[in-house]
Amino acid sequence: MAVRAGTLDHVISAAQFDRPLLDALFARATALEGTRGHSLTGRIMATLFYEPSTRTRLSFESAMLRLDGSVLGTEAAHVFSSAMKGETLEDTIRMVCAYADVIVLRHDREGAAAQAAVVATVPVINAGDGPGEHPTQSLLDLFTIERELGRIGGLHVAICGDLRFGRTARSLARLLALYDGVRISFVAPDVVQVGPDIRALLDDRHVPYQLSPRLDDVIGSADVVYQTRVQKERFTDPAEFERARGAIRIDAATMQRLPATSVVMHPLPRVDEIDPEVDSDPRAAYFRQAANGVALRMALLELLLA
Ligand code: NCD
């Protein structure tokens, strides 16, 4: 499950990536942008999704097809796969390894991808494990920051919304910690503030960060505002969800306080945390961000398979 001399076995956590690997991935993704090739001819990717997805699954499939690979898979795997009959994740993974050369797995349980990797004989890519991590999203997020702003080091990144259950926010913070001079503001109400594991990691790496309940406090100096959806499906206490929902919103008035050279990002889907009136602002980078997922995932699949 580790980085091996410039290559990877499984992709489970953002913690597996270092700067040389990120630089290589982003350079390859830039070269692959808008192209089609044959580097994965004859290879098969299986997508096994136990939770809903639009962008992650389709951009992985698009990436594989653009490199002349093939795809197979199942959505709603809790009901459409033999999980419904009581099959364990391990047994499902053992079988899918016989059908495909790489498995892209999304699961509602934290740790599911790591559990799958233990029995897998082909690379497993974590496409989201409950509130755990979503490493490939954070790769495309970082790739987007570099493309939009020309650098990552030295930036002030405001990560907003649901930082307790939002796996993309958690993975992004891990990757940002690799860059010199990055400063992070975690903007969220207490009930969904970032957890002690991420804070400990930032402390270890001496990355300056602050917690704030209001975007207004930090927006004037933010280079990137990374907004996220409140993960309604992960709350067991409806009262806690009510305290989190709508706490941080971005609308045209918010954009007036954001510097002219900064960008707003979001892993999507959005619900009501970014007003659609923001979409026409050139600093709204979230649709460009989603599009970047294809080239980034092409580069990643090549790294794992070619
Ligand atoms: C995110 C996810 O699934 O974690 N979506 C995505 O992959 N782009 C964010 C979310 O669901 O809010």
Side-chain angles (χ1 to χ4, degrees):
M1 222 193 286
V3 179
R4 278 186 327 208
T7 186
L8 292 167
D9 279 339
H10 304 284
V11 178
I12 306 301
S13 165
Q16 291 170 263
F17 291 82
D18 59 14
R19 282 292 301 280
L21 192 55
L22 292 172
D23 291 345
L25 258 180
F26 298 163
R28 187 63 188 145
T30 302
L32 286 168
E33 168 104 63
T35 66
R36 285 169 185 269
H38 294 90
S39 55
L40 299 183
T41 304
R43 312 308 291 276
I44 299 173
M45 178 185 79
T47 53
L48 199 52
F49 275 58
Y50 292 80
E51 273 194 340
S53 167
T54 306
R55 275 150 292 270
T56 303
R57 189 171 61 82
L58 294 183
S59 66
F60 260 114
E61 293 189 359
S62 177
M64 191 67 185
L65 294 171
R66 282 166 200 246
L67 294 173
D68 203 31
S70 306
V71 301
L72 51 82
T74 181
E75 308 177 66
H78 275 301
V79 281
F80 289 159
S81 76
S82 291
M84 190 69 182
K85 302 178 185 171
E87 185 169 63
T88 64
L89 179 64
E90 280 89 348
D91 282 0
T92 303
I93 293 293
R94 283 189 184 100
M95 293 320 311
V96 178
C97 288
Y99 311 145
D101 302 302
V102 58
I103 298 173
V104 182
L105 174 71
R106 170 168 289 188
H107 204 283
D108 47 287
R109 189 160 33 78
E110 185 167 359
Q115 183 190 347
V118 171
V119 297
T121 53
V122 304
V124 171
I125 300 177
N126 181 6
D129 60 328
E133 282 213 50
H134 192 348
T136 69
Q137 177 69 43
S138 59
L139 293 174
L140 79 89
D141 293 341
L142 218 54
F143 180 51
T144 299
I145 293 173
E146 192 175 83
R147 302 191 87 184
E148 293 283 331
L149 300 177
R151 68 200 161 103
I152 298 166
L155 297 181
H156 174 202
V157 181
I159 306 183
C160 315
D162 185 346
L163 313 180
R164 174 179 171 197
F165 297 123
R167 54 200 176 194
T168 71
R170 293 166 45 74
S171 289
L172 179 61
R174 284 181 186 280
L175 286 188
L176 284 171
L178 297 174
Y179 291 81
D180 290 338
V182 163
R183 192 152 66 84
I184 304 178
S185 295
F186 293 106
V187 181
D190 281 350
V191 65
V192 286
Q193 248 310 352
V194 73
D197 57 339
I198 297 293
R199 283 189 244 171
L201 175 112
L202 298 177
D203 288 336
D204 274 2
R205 300 251 176 90
H206 306 291
V207 178
Y209 66 89
Q210 58 173 329
L211 310 186
S212 175
R214 280 188 315 274
L215 185 52
D216 266 359
D217 295 343
V218 306
I219 194 166
S221 65
D223 298 296
V224 176
V225 173
Y226 186 92
Q227 174 69 308
T228 61
R229 174 179 72 89
V230 177
Q231 310 278 300
K232 184 178 183 186
E233 67 274 27
R234 307 214 192 280
F235 286 81
T236 47
D237 178 352
E240 287 196 336
F241 171 67
E242 287 305 325
R243 272 191 276 149
R245 82 187 295 182
I248 315 290
R249 289 194 76 249
I250 298 175
D251 58 16
T254 323
M255 295 302 279
Q256 284 180 6
R257 296 189 285 278
L258 182 72
T261 51
S262 303
V263 291
V264 176
M265 295 173 56
H266 191 303
L268 303 176
R270 77 171 141 191
V271 184
D272 54 5
E273 62 279 358
I274 299 181
D275 193 300
E277 69 187 0
V278 174
D279 297 358
S280 57
D281 189 305
R283 295 169 295 173
Y286 29 92
F287 295 119
R288 298 192 291 274
Q289 177 187 356
N292 286 338
V294 176
L296 188 282
R297 288 177 169 128
M298 287 168 83
L300 186 68
L301 287 168
E302 269 195 352
L303 186 73
L304 289 168
L305 292 176

